[in-house]
Amino acid sequence: MSDVPTYEFRCKACGSTFDVKRSMDDASAPAPCPNGHDDTVKLLSMAGLSGKADAPATGGGCCGGGCCG
Ligand SMILES: [Zn+2]
């Protein structure tokens, strides 16, 4: 795979959000804020998920537990 995942981070110091492209091996590594802060948290990646949000959850494990209603 040549696609590098994009991870979204939010800086707890200044509140800005920024995207970081990195390999999955480094997904959980801390990323410095563009403004120079180190106190950042990784958000759930929204980039690259467009078009998949409406995909039906198949494979079981969901409706069997009653969580689907
Ligand atoms: Zn910052």
Side-chain angles (χ1 to χ4, degrees), residues 6-9 17 19 43-53:
T6 301
Y7 301 93
E8 187 171 16
F9 285 79
T17 57
D19 294 334
L43 305 177
L44 290 177
S45 178
M46 284 179 282
L49 291 181
S50 60
K52 293 181 181 179

Side-chain angles (χ1 to χ4, degrees), residues 11 14 16 33 35 37:
C11 177
C14 67
S16 66
C33 168
N35 295 321
H37 308 118

Side-chain angles (χ1 to χ4, degrees), residues 23-47:
S23 67
M24 295 181 72
D25 288 342
D26 296 330
S28 60
C33 168
N35 295 321
H37 308 118
D38 288 330
D39 193 7
T40 60
V41 291
K42 186 165 72 71
L43 305 177
L44 290 177
S45 178
M46 284 179 282

